[in-house]
Amino acid sequence: MKCTKCGKKEAIFKVPYTNYFLCADCYSTYFYKRLKRNLSRSNVLSYGGKLSVFVPRSFTAEGLVLIKILRQIERKYNNKLTVIFESSPIVRKSLSVLGKLPSEVFYSLEIVDDEEKDISHEGMLGRLRVVRGMLSLLDKNITGNAIVLPLCQDVLILLELSSILGSIVEGINEGVLVISSSNGTNFINAFSGISCYETSFMAYYNFPEIYEFQIRNLNYEKNIYEKYTERILTDASRMQSGEVIFSVNKSLSWLYKERGSMLKKCKYCGGTSSSEVCRFCKTYLDMYISEKNTPPFKLISLE
Ligand SMILES: [Zn+2]
Ligand SMILES: [Zn+2]
């Protein structure tokens, strides 16, 4: 079958919720446009500033796709790009596949392992929150005021919905485009509104080796509510071809509007919180810092 758009090349991908079958080039252009629109809608990027990308271990290949596209977009805006990888066995390999432009700086965020306080017990939400809290504590001369993240729509919804099912009200509103912490860091969910099916396709198409390694070895541990929600979402999307993901998102936004005014924002991770610091950042950042007088992470330069 030929591509619906250009009519020349072989189609290799059906765009979800449409009747379009696109070739790799036309699909990549379509993906690029949506990402660009998300970034401009975020309203936190400026000309000639600094911009960071954080690459979580479990989304390494998606992070590389994000960097690849940001390079094309940001060339026009003259922004300096900082890349921060969550430390993992595939960081060096990712760096060599991606290559480094002269204007870019790369770091690895090493989370200090503490047996008493192991974040992985808290599932994906806990881990992502604490990591965001750590990023918000980094020097703004390194990160700039915006840190872009490669989390796709289904993951964002999983975080919100599983929190509600687990009666952890602090997890709602994770799915928004920009999350701002009160210490001045803006986190942009660059793949907001883009399904994980699509980001996985781009990740596998562009970085097959990294993607395969990541799927086998780097998955974040999910808590019981996250596993349960994952099953609900998988079943639902099988029956309704994924549109359910977006209707769940709308319902969650409604819920946040109804209840959100009673809630605060965590000063570290910027997530919804019932007090000044959310339960995750309190245990794994605030208490750690006050007990040991040092933050539980190191930022290592990758040269
Ligand atoms: Zn085409
Ligand atoms: Zn927090």
Side-chain angles (χ1 to χ4, degrees), residues 57 117-124 127 220-223 284:
R57 193 180 72 200
K117 284 182 184 164
D118 182 359
I119 318 167
S120 53
H121 297 314
E122 298 285 358
M124 282 176 89
R127 179 142 194 123
Y220 282 148
E221 220 168 287
K222 297 187 179 77
N223 66 32
Y284 300 97

Coordinates of all heavy atoms in Angstrom, one line a residue, residues 57 117-124 127 220-223 284:
R57 N 15.3 6.6 32.5 CA 15.8 5.2 32.1 C 14.8 4.4 31.2 O 15.2 3.9 30.2 CB 16.1 4.5 33.4 CG 16.9 3.3 33.4 CD 17.0 2.8 34.8 NE 15.7 2.2 35.2 CZ 15.4 2.0 36.5 NH1 16.2 2.4 37.5 NH2 14.2 1.5 36.8
K117 N 15.6 3.8 52.0 CA 14.6 4.6 51.3 C 14.8 4.3 49.8 O 15.4 5.1 49.1 CB 14.9 6.1 51.6 CG 14.4 6.5 52.9 CD 14.7 7.9 53.2 CE 14.2 8.3 54.6 NZ 14.8 9.6 55.0
D118 N 14.2 3.2 49.3 CA 14.3 2.9 47.9 C 13.1 3.4 47.2 O 12.0 2.9 47.5 CB 14.4 1.3 47.9 CG 14.6 0.9 46.4 OD1 14.6 1.7 45.5 OD2 14.7 -0.4 46.2
I119 N 13.3 4.3 46.3 CA 12.1 5.0 45.6 C 11.3 4.0 44.8 O 10.1 4.2 44.6 CB 12.6 6.1 44.6 CG1 13.7 6.9 45.2 CG2 11.4 7.0 44.2 CD1 14.4 7.8 44.2
S120 N 11.9 2.9 44.3 CA 11.2 2.0 43.4 C 9.9 1.4 44.1 O 9.0 1.0 43.4 CB 12.1 1.0 42.8 OG 12.8 0.3 43.9
H121 N 9.9 1.4 45.4 CA 8.7 0.9 46.1 C 7.5 1.7 45.8 O 6.3 1.3 45.9 CB 8.8 0.9 47.6 CG 9.9 0.0 48.1 ND1 10.0 -1.3 47.6 CD2 10.9 0.2 48.9 CE1 11.1 -1.9 48.2 NE2 11.6 -1.0 49.0
E122 N 7.7 3.0 45.4 CA 6.6 3.9 45.2 C 6.1 3.9 43.7 O 5.2 4.7 43.4 CB 7.1 5.3 45.5 CG 7.5 5.6 46.9 CD 6.4 5.6 47.9 OE1 5.2 5.5 47.4 OE2 6.6 5.7 49.1
G123 N 6.5 3.0 42.9 CA 6.0 2.8 41.6 C 6.5 3.9 40.7 O 7.4 4.7 41.0
M124 N 6.0 4.0 39.5 CA 6.4 5.0 38.5 C 6.2 6.4 38.9 O 7.0 7.3 38.7 CB 5.6 4.8 37.2 CG 6.1 3.6 36.3 SD 5.0 3.5 34.9 CE 5.8 4.6 33.8
R127 N 8.7 7.5 41.5 CA 10.0 7.6 40.9 C 10.1 8.9 40.1 O 11.0 9.7 40.2 CB 10.4 6.4 40.1 CG 11.7 6.6 39.4 CD 12.5 5.3 39.4 NE 13.9 5.5 39.1 CZ 14.9 5.1 39.8 NH1 14.7 4.5 41.0 NH2 16.1 5.4 39.4
Y220 N 10.6 0.7 34.7 CA 10.4 1.1 36.1 C 9.4 0.1 36.7 O 8.5 -0.4 36.0 CB 9.7 2.5 36.1 CG 10.5 3.7 35.9 CD1 10.0 4.8 35.2 CD2 11.9 3.7 36.3 CE1 10.8 5.9 35.0 CE2 12.6 4.8 36.0 CZ 12.1 5.9 35.4 OH 12.9 7.0 35.2
E221 N 9.7 -0.1 38.0 CA 8.8 -1.0 38.7 C 7.4 -0.3 38.9 O 7.4 0.9 39.2 CB 9.4 -1.2 40.1 CG 9.2 -2.6 40.5 CD 10.1 -2.9 41.8 OE1 11.3 -3.0 41.6 OE2 9.5 -2.9 42.8
K222 N 6.3 -0.9 38.6 CA 5.0 -0.3 38.8 C 4.4 -0.8 40.1 O 4.6 -1.9 40.5 CB 4.0 -0.7 37.7 CG 4.5 -0.2 36.3 CD 3.4 -0.4 35.3 CE 3.9 0.1 33.9 NZ 4.8 -0.8 33.2
N223 N 3.7 0.1 40.8 CA 3.0 -0.3 42.0 C 1.7 -1.1 41.7 O 1.4 -1.1 40.5 CB 2.8 0.8 43.0 CG 1.8 1.9 42.5 OD1 0.9 1.5 41.8 ND2 2.1 3.1 42.8
Y284 N 11.8 11.2 50.1 CA 13.0 10.9 49.4 C 13.9 12.0 49.1 O 15.0 11.8 48.6 CB 12.6 10.1 48.1 CG 11.8 8.9 48.4 CD1 10.5 8.8 48.4 CD2 12.5 7.7 48.8 CE1 9.8 7.7 48.7 CE2 11.8 6.5 49.1 CZ 10.4 6.5 49.0 OH 9.8 5.4 49.4

